[in-house]
Amino acid sequence: MSGEREQRSKKVREDWIQIDALSCGTGWDERDLSRPQILVEDAYGSSHPGSFHLNSLAEEASIGVHQEGGKPANFHGTDICDGWAMLHDGMNYILLSREVLCDLVEVHGRVIPWDGLIVISSCDKSIPAHLMAVSRLNIPAIHVPGGSNRIGPNMGHSILIGDTATKMRQGKDVSKEIRNYKLTGCPGYGACQFMGTASTMQCMSEALGMAFPGSALSPASQFDIRRMARKAGRKVLDLSKRGIKPSDILTKAAFENAIKIHAAISGSTNVLLHIPAIAQELGIEIDAELFDRINHEVPYLANVQPSGEYTSELFWFAGSIPRIQIELREMLDLNVMTVTGKTLKENLEEIEREGFFQRGEGYLANYHLKREDVIHPRKKSKGFGSIAVLKGNIAPEGAVIKYSAVPSDMLTHEGPAKVFNKEEKALTAILSGEVEPGSVIVLRYEGPRGSGMPEILACTEALVTIPSLSNTAIVTDGRFSGATRGPCVGHVSPEAAIGGPISLVEDGDLIRIDIPNRVLSIVAVDNKRKNAGEIEALLVDRKKRWKPPLIKQPQGVLERYSRQATSAMKGAYLEK
């Protein structure tokens, strides 16, 4: 993996000279034609604050490419945000957008043999899409995370509106609160200020070794992130010369490292969709049991919302992923390769020397905080992990819950099922008082093949903001926002649309959620407790009478996704 490499496009350019004419038609000169050619791919667009600034990072990366004697070519593929799609059918297209964006980047990456690739993204679906694409293309590549938004007034941010939204739907006058939220919920650009899926996936990219140390969650309005983008432009040419590809970095050991970091930071449950989907592009299988096993072993360290107190910007000031890696270094494989061209061990030694942690602690001092307030030392951890995989007669293949965001008195719960086949109907029932406290809301036909696996945030926020429903749970084959709090079990598999047992649950069935023992099951019917064999026989009988509902998707990408998506427990990617 050393020495100069011949330009990969040289032969195709010589075979078809129109390629050079087309390049010159976009401003290249003759000297550019013979330089190493680097694809700079960003998710810039006006779709949401997480992507609105990415063109500026692409410009910095391009400068870095020029500085090292390469020629950048800028391509764009805008991602979309769950927030825009909430409570209407647009949400059905969010998860599948990961597949669409991945395919688009692959198309861009294969139109000509590029010498290297830089992908720039901030958020939920664009980061896994980019990492899937670079894995598929397997040319020297670096991911540049888009960083964090600013903190709003009173340490507020984009998700802290649940209580106000519930009051609004109940007919209360909260117009002033709503106006203030509109103007300050997203005071700048960058990813949301909590450990949601966007922030989590930035952390996962760095933990996998595909982004520079300390780059995840860097404040988008500071110059640190621009310097990292420019450095990526320079470094990708070095990776190209040395022949270091994503397959050299994204090994099984790297994925296990990332899952350990995920457990320590209480990352989003959506990572159980994205990490397996990235890994399968490289022929690596990551199953849910690996997440569950690791979460039994790894201490929970990050005091970050929604499971903790502080915002993601403060997490970055506290040392971010490098600090977590240092706390866990005895549990990690430090010999894995990274995009720096160095091992994780070498990266951590370098970042400790160069002052990254001292600068961050100085910023924290502005908030009268210490590093230990935001990232607990391992010896002071109060628990292990954050994610559990539950199984039982409702979810034979598994289901997922973030237990770090569940009140201690709800870690074990039994309640009667209240069944809905659509989120909007469940939300109406919650707000109108039709859902009894202590119930288990069963929300189904929301899996990948049912409706594209939408995010179930409106219902979960309603539950946690209505005090009388604090002991009420949700079980669904849909997915949750990374901001979800409370006893919310998702990804139930097999899903209802293909006849999974969740489709057979009836109103009144007594559901047991037992997180310590990893159980999700029906335990009683008609107020009579039954043993496992009796429940199994009952479900077999119900299955004989079950008829799949007619789910007609609009012609196009959603219809294709609903036919080809794999199980949520495998990653909900398109079957090959």
Side-chain angles (χ1 to χ4, degrees), residues 290-308:
L290 179 60
F291 279 89
D292 194 70
R293 176 177 62 78
I294 285 175
N295 275 268
H296 276 293
E297 302 168 355
V298 173
Y300 169 39
L301 302 177
N303 187 13
V304 181
Q305 298 177 22
S307 299

Side-chain angles (χ1 to χ4, degrees), residues 161-178:
I161 192 62
D163 185 52
T164 300
T166 298
K167 291 177 183 177
M168 177 189 71
R169 294 188 187 106
Q170 292 172 335
K172 298 177 182 178
D173 183 9
V174 287
S175 55
K176 289 184 179 179
E177 293 177 47
I178 290 173

Side-chain angles (χ1 to χ4, degrees), residues 443-462:
L443 180 55
R444 60 197 184 189
Y445 299 104
E446 301 283 19
R449 297 205 177 197
S451 57
M453 205 176 185
E455 174 184 288
I456 311 299
L457 179 61
C459 283
T460 61
E461 280 298 291

Side-chain angles (χ1 to χ4, degrees), residues 86 177 321:
M86 199 66 62
E177 293 177 47
I321 296 306

Side-chain angles (χ1 to χ4, degrees), residues 6-23 33-35 37 111-113:
E6 185 177 79
Q7 184 190 50
R8 293 182 72 236
S9 64
K10 186 173 185 293
K11 185 177 186 306
V12 297
R13 289 177 43 249
E14 290 173 347
D15 288 345
W16 191 251
I17 60 173
Q18 186 190 26
I19 294 172
D20 285 356
L22 293 168
S23 297
L33 297 172
S34 60
R35 292 178 176 183
Q37 297 179 0
V111 69
I112 197 169

Side-chain angles (χ1 to χ4, degrees), residues 33 78 99 159 163 177 184 196 221 377 382 469 543 565:
L33 297 172
T78 303
E99 314 303 312
I159 204 63
D163 185 52
E177 293 177 47
T184 64
S221 57
K382 298 178 181 179
L469 296 180
K543 186 65 178 286

Side-chain angles (χ1 to χ4, degrees), residues 252-451:
K252 184 69 177 287
F255 283 106
E256 291 189 3
N257 280 354
I259 295 170
K260 290 172 183 177
I261 299 301
H262 180 261
I265 65 175
S266 186
S268 165
T269 55
N270 286 311
V271 167
L272 277 84
L273 297 171
H274 301 320
I275 288 290
I278 297 164
Q280 62 86 29
E281 296 288 350
L282 294 152
I284 298 171
E285 183 177 351
I286 301 292
D287 58 33
E289 282 70 22
L290 179 60
F291 279 89
D292 194 70
R293 176 177 62 78
I294 285 175
N295 275 268
H296 276 293
E297 302 168 355
V298 173
Y300 169 39
L301 302 177
N303 187 13
V304 181
Q305 298 177 22
S307 299
E309 298 177 73
Y310 300 111
T311 59
S312 55
E313 181 180 88
L314 299 180
F315 176 71
W316 189 78
F317 292 149
S320 194
I321 296 306
R323 174 52 58 186
I324 297 289
Q325 290 168 325
I326 286 172
E327 293 292 338
L328 298 182
R329 73 169 97 206
E330 294 176 2
M331 305 183 75
L332 301 176
D333 185 334
L334 300 179
N335 294 316
V336 293
M337 178 56 63
T338 72
V339 292
T340 64
K342 301 175 182 177
T343 65
L344 175 57
K345 180 177 184 292
E346 292 171 316
N347 287 346
L348 294 180
E349 290 171 350
E350 183 173 317
I351 205 167
E352 283 190 284
R353 287 194 304 268
E354 67 86 34
F356 174 76
F357 295 126
Q358 290 77 15
R359 292 192 297 275
E361 288 171 7
Y363 283 115
L364 270 186
N366 294 338
Y367 297 88
H368 306 289
L369 292 171
K370 296 180 180 178
R371 184 186 74 216
E372 293 80 4
D373 296 325
V374 186
I375 297 178
H376 300 310
R378 182 177 172 181
K379 62 184 178 181
K380 293 186 178 180
S381 170
K382 298 178 181 179
F384 287 87
S386 54
I387 299 287
V389 176
L390 312 183
K391 289 190 174 182
N393 55 39
I394 295 175
E397 292 180 5
V400 178
I401 187 166
K402 182 192 279 193
Y403 59 79
S404 58
V406 176
S408 58
D409 61 350
M410 287 294 289
L411 293 176
T412 302
H413 177 69
E414 288 186 0
K418 182 71 173 176
V419 180
F420 300 92
N421 293 344
K422 196 169 180 61
E423 183 191 13
E424 290 80 358
K425 291 183 179 180
L427 180 61
T428 298
I430 292 168
L431 296 175
S432 64
E434 296 174 40
V435 174
E436 293 290 330
S439 299
V440 174
I441 296 169
V442 177
L443 180 55
R444 60 197 184 189
Y445 299 104
E446 301 283 19
R449 297 205 177 197
S451 57

